Amino acid sequence: MREVVTNAPLSGEIGHRKYGVPVARALSVCYNEAQRRSVTMSVRTRFAPSPTGYLHIGGARTALFNWLLARRHGGQFILRIDDTDEARHVDEAVAKILEGFRWLGIDWDEGPEIGGPHGPYYQSQRGDKYEAAIIQLIKSGKAYPDLTPTTEVDTLRRAAEAAKQPFVYRGKERDMDPAAALDVYLSKRPAVRYKVPSGRVVALDDKVRGHVEWQTDLLGDFTIARNEGKPLYNLATVVDDIDMKITHIVRAEEHLSNTHPQLHLFEGLGGEKPVFAHIPYVAAPGTKKKLSKRNPPPGVMVALEEYEQAGYLPRAVLNGLARLGWSLDDKTEVMDLQTVIDNFSLEKVVAAPAGLDPDKLYWLQDQYMKQLPSAERVDRMIPFLAAKGLISAPPTAEERETVAKIDAASGDRLKLLSDIVRYGEFFFTPTIDHDKEAAKHLRKEGAAEVVEKIKDALATLEPFDVKSVEGAISQLGASTGLGGKINHILRAATTGRSVGPGVYDCVAILGREKTLRNLEHTLAAIREGRIV
RNA sequence: GGCCCCGUCGUCUAGUUAGGCCUAGGACACAGGAUUUUCAUUCCUGCAACAGGGGUUCAAAUCCCCUCGGGGUCACCA
């Protein structure tokens, strides 16, 4: 006879798209605002990273989905550090993760630094709770101490593998009397295994995977604590999720198989089962393989901080992350956070792996850069210039003014915040060098004469502004017969670059003095054959 | 190998729960053109997909079965 254990839905608010009963729709007519709030207020989600030293872009996405669900329903988002493996507990590693969240603007209601009613929020500090759970489980006959040496278990495992049989381990002590088992546990502190019942089917109605079943006969008695009472991941997670009253577990799909043992633990511990949603992992661009930090595809940034360093805007990354496996509708791509919060639902999360699309993220970044008020863009670009030593930190009023002018003259050319370095470097250096493309224009026959004429024209130009420079240069273009082509030479000779902000703007921002100096410098370089 | 999941343009996706509104929509990328006296914008056009095979049905991307492909996971790690 088979019994079926399922995770009963906690609320009808979020019915499953395929298998869930559309309770919300059925009840919506009789829902009043207070009732709706009482249901939605109960949503508590969590993100439980293991402190590895950086925030993986996929992890950030998982955290975002949890955060979004909590915010959407007026609930709480909890941050917990999964550092049961003591070697993983490193303060700087945790700090890195928290910095990542702060940069993105994902705040947590309970967790590191702020605490909360269900703390501590570091698993390494919750040993007593795991110990209590282990004892409770042994007392109630749900778990037992395993005295078999690991070497022996390994041998059995290998034998099963060799025979191509599933390895289903049941310890010798599984039928030991609970009281005796507890004595053994307390005195010898051996590993502890959960007694998986046989002949049952465990079912899960996952919010994104749908209905999933496992046969208990295929699951061995899994370990919940290694010797010396050190709790293992599955145990710690379930104990904490119950203790912290987590209602919705949204995590990456690689945890789907962990759900089977965890479901047993929820039952054994008498905890209410949360709603589960296993979201697809983030795949490397153009593949279905999980994006990994260990061997990232060339040019693909995996750690969140790399995006910050590259000059991405948090809101662009947020938008990109939200679109990874989730969509608002059939056409909306650019949406602010509030729109995402207002519309987020697990039902719209796709089940297939979501490939990261760097091109699209870059495009999104461009969209947000255009929207950004100039003053804010300038504020955010300044650190990139300062980091290169091009301006002082903090910048002087004059430097800030120049950056603002460059920004205005650049129009939509600045895609990444760091582009200011590429586009504006020469404004802050005492002299200029000539890049390859610029050199091409300056190597042309008669270039020196043209540069000379430009210098003469600008030397006495009055006033010296964008309009007058444009007038003078176009006149010169006409008289030399070069027409618009004179601009190439002008740019190359004054900035050393072939691309950049509007060329008349560049000259005007540079000012007469610096422009003439750069022209002299270029002239000397041409004549001394230093332009190559 | 066992178990589990997934499979719509090159990419991200809409559409799949309630089969017809889909000769499959949008976006990114790419190609071409227009605007811009650099570049970047902007605009227009184009390219391009239901993994395959069987069913069920008047009708299937949508339901059923099989095959193939991809992935995840199988610890006294998290």
Side-chain angles (χ1 to χ4, degrees), chain A residues 181-468:
Chain A
L182 188 59
D183 278 346
V184 171
Y185 172 68
L186 263 14
S187 60
K188 300 192 171 156
R189 311 289 292 172
V192 180
R193 287 180 183 272
Y194 189 86
K195 208 185 286 183
V196 175
S198 39
R200 284 183 25 183
V201 170
V202 174
L204 168 73
D205 282 312
D206 190 278
K207 285 289 181 249
V208 348
R209 301 283 113 163
H211 189 79
V212 182
E213 291 187 347
W214 293 274
Q215 313 263 343
T216 58
D217 288 342
L218 264 15
L219 177 67
D221 287 345
F222 57 91
T223 316
I224 57 176
R226 43 184 173 180
N227 55 29
E228 299 308 323
K230 290 176 196 145
L232 254 11
Y233 172 71
N234 280 140
L235 198 243
T237 296
V238 174
V239 168
D240 290 346
D241 286 339
I242 292 173
D243 197 47
M244 295 176 182
K245 303 190 165 24
I246 303 303
T247 61
H248 295 69
I249 295 181
V250 179
R251 69 206 337 184
E253 85 171 274
E254 51 258 42
H255 286 290
L256 186 57
S257 13
N258 281 146
T259 310
H260 183 186
Q262 287 179 15
L263 248 15
H264 286 289
L265 249 9
F266 271 106
E267 194 180 62
L269 255 12
E272 201 173 349
K273 292 183 188 95
V275 173
F276 285 90
H278 287 90
I279 63 177
Y281 56 88
V282 175
T287 73
K288 295 288 182 205
K289 287 198 205 305
K290 206 164 90 176
L291 183 62
S292 100
K293 176 78 173 167
R294 295 218 173 259
N295 44 339
V300 177
M301 300 182 283
V302 179
L304 188 70
E305 60 189 305
E306 293 177 84
Y307 288 86
E308 178 179 8
Q309 287 156 7
Y312 276 90
L313 250 12
R315 67 191 73 180
V317 173
L318 232 23
N319 194 152
L321 251 24
R323 283 286 289 105
L324 229 48
W326 178 85
S327 61
L328 172 59
D329 54 29
D330 60 346
K331 44 182 67 89
T332 311
E333 297 289 344
V334 181
M335 48 198 152
D336 58 46
L337 233 206
Q338 194 55 49
T339 303
V340 179
I341 292 173
D342 292 343
N343 293 282
F344 185 78
S345 82
L346 258 14
E347 283 70 40
K348 296 281 284 179
V349 175
V350 296
L356 181 70
D357 187 346
D359 285 334
K360 197 144 186 175
L361 186 59
Y362 184 74
W363 174 80
L364 233 23
Q365 162 74 8
D366 184 27
Q367 302 302 308
Y368 284 102
M369 277 295 263
K370 282 180 194 150
Q371 287 183 11
L372 213 58
S374 172
E376 191 183 340
R377 198 164 45 233
V378 169
D379 285 341
R380 287 175 177 273
M381 290 188 300
I382 280 172
F384 287 88
L385 249 12
K388 285 273 178 191
L390 293 165
I391 60 173
S392 39
T396 63
E398 195 189 337
E399 283 170 335
R400 197 181 184 289
E401 184 58 29
T402 305
V403 177
K405 282 183 190 163
I406 299 167
D407 174 63
S410 297
D412 296 322
R413 295 169 184 85
L414 301 165
K415 309 291 189 197
L416 297 170
L417 293 167
S418 55
D419 284 342
I420 188 69
V421 173
R422 212 152 53 83
Y423 277 87
E425 195 171 18
F426 59 83
F427 288 107
F428 303 101
T429 51
T431 181
I432 54 170
D433 55 5
H434 302 89
D435 69 20
K436 243 181 144 170
E437 286 300 307
K440 262 187 201 168
H441 293 296
L442 298 174
R443 266 199 319 255
K444 284 183 182 147
E445 193 63 35
E449 287 68 44
V450 178
V451 173
E452 190 75 52
K453 281 180 182 159
I454 290 174
K455 202 189 81 183
D456 291 344
L458 298 181
T460 55
L461 185 66
E462 211 51 70
F464 196 88
D465 58 26
V466 178
K467 249 200 150 72
S468 61

Side-chain angles (χ1 to χ4, degrees), chain A residues 10-23:
Chain A
L10 291 181
S11 96
E13 178 72 11
I14 309 161
H16 185 263
R17 54 183 176 166
K18 274 181 189 159
Y19 304 93
V21 185
V23 183

Side-chain angles (χ1 to χ4, degrees), chain A residues 406 409-411 413 423-424 426-427 491 499-506 509:
Chain A
I406 299 167
S410 297
R413 295 169 184 85
Y423 277 87
F426 59 83
F427 288 107
R491 179 186 294 279
V499 298
V503 65
Y504 309 125
D505 292 277
C506 286
I509 295 170

